[in-house]
Amino acid sequence: RKEVEQDPGPFNVPEGATVAFNCTYSNSASQSFFWYRQDCRKEPKLLMSVYSSGNEDGRFTAQLNRASQYISLLIRDSKLSDSATYLCVVTSYNTDKLIFGTGTRLQVFP
Amino acid sequence: DGGITQSPKYLFRKEGQNVTLSCEQNLNHDAMYWYRQDPGQGLRLIYYSQIVNDFQKGDIAEGYSVSREKKESFPLTVTSAQKNPTAFYLCASQDRGGVNEQFFGPGTRLTVL
């Protein structure tokens, strides 16, 4: 089983739609969680950290469910510029190393 | 402007040749990392360094070597022993006193001909 699993997609949604991605992780001792965004042929960039209480940044909401070992990302009012691959990232237990999921591709169409 | 630079952006190499990828950061970060990314796969850790003059193997270190003589620099050498070196290589740095966020360079796309 992979340490971090994501549905690869693609998710094809119209502008203005709400879309949600889930990600599961296998190590219950994982401590930090992130969503990164990666545009085609570019480097990943941090979208948001995920906190236990859940957090929101504009149109983006991240949730963490430790009991079920999954994190989610909700994007409201999708824009064309949201088209990208979204990487779920979890820290390895007791180290600073990050474990990356394979990413979920989102395509927003007009 | 603070950030991470990688050079070159594109690199072509003949089979059997060693090649060194550059990574420089001016963020004053202690930790630096090298990853490779292949189509349909997540980032895989090659080597990392948490302090100058020290580095550790990641998950796929075979066929690669690194050095960390300066805080700002963490070059990666892809040797001829690497069986399938064609990939997108990403360097990252991290402030170990922070919240684990890693900052990435723009990457080097290596193609072996």
Side-chain angles (χ1 to χ4, degrees):
Chain A
R1 183 185 171 188
K2 289 182 181 177
E3 289 189 74
V4 179
E5 295 207 59
Q6 296 183 250
D7 180 343
F11 285 60
N12 295 307
V13 303
E15 272 186 292
T18 296
V19 62
F21 309 135
N22 283 338
C23 162
T24 57
Y25 60 94
S26 60
N27 190 336
S28 60
S30 299
Q31 296 182 351
S32 300
F33 309 89
F34 308 91
W35 284 102
Y36 276 71
R37 171 193 169 128
Q38 186 174 25
D39 292 297
C40 188
R41 303 177 76 84
K42 300 280 191 181
E43 74 273 24
K45 293 183 179 177
L46 181 67
L47 178 66
M48 57 199 304
S49 301
V50 186
Y51 303 121
S52 296
S53 54
N55 47 300
E56 188 174 305
D57 183 1
R59 298 182 293 110
F60 300 84
T61 300
Q63 297 277 353
L64 168 64
N65 185 319
R66 284 192 184 272
S68 301
Q69 293 179 214
Y70 78 82
I71 68 175
S72 64
L73 177 68
L74 182 78
I75 305 175
R76 290 180 298 278
D77 188 22
S78 298
K79 311 289 184 194
L80 295 175
S81 57
D82 293 334
S83 298
T85 297
Y86 291 83
L87 305 175
C88 173
V89 184
V90 173
T91 51
S92 180
Y93 173 67
N94 214 27
T95 74
D96 292 329
K97 292 195 290 183
L98 300 184
I99 310 298
F100 288 79
T102 55
T104 296
R105 188 163 157 243
L106 171 66
Q107 184 68 48
V108 181
F109 57 87
Chain B
D1 271 343
I4 304 177
T5 57
Q6 289 185 245
S7 62
K9 190 170 181 179
Y10 298 97
L11 186 58
F12 297 89
R13 183 195 99 177
K14 290 184 180 178
E15 248 184 85
Q17 289 180 338
N18 292 355
V19 64
T20 297
L21 311 185
S22 165
C23 177
E24 304 277 332
Q25 56 99 359
N26 60 5
L27 299 167
N28 199 34
H29 287 169
D30 286 313
M32 297 186 74
Y33 302 79
W34 273 105
Y35 298 90
R36 72 175 272 169
Q37 187 174 34
D38 296 280
Q41 297 199 38
L43 276 68
R44 292 185 290 166
L45 183 64
I46 304 172
Y47 266 99
Y48 64 105
S49 167
Q50 295 180 314
I51 198 166
V52 174
N53 292 323
D54 188 42
F55 49 82
Q56 287 80 40
K57 292 182 179 180
D59 302 316
I60 55 164
E62 186 176 349
Y64 299 99
S65 66
V66 294
S67 62
R68 188 85 188 277
E69 297 174 3
K70 298 187 299 181
K71 188 175 186 178
E72 304 79 18
S73 178
F74 191 40
L76 173 75
T77 297
V78 184
T79 75
S80 56
Q82 169 48 235
K83 300 288 184 225
N84 186 20
T86 294
F88 187 40
Y89 288 87
L90 288 157
C91 179
S93 72
Q94 179 182 43
D95 176 5
R96 296 190 66 215
V99 292
N100 301 113
E101 177 187 356
Q102 290 186 8
F103 295 84
F104 286 84
T108 292
R109 202 164 289 276
L110 173 64
T111 302
V112 175
L113 305 171

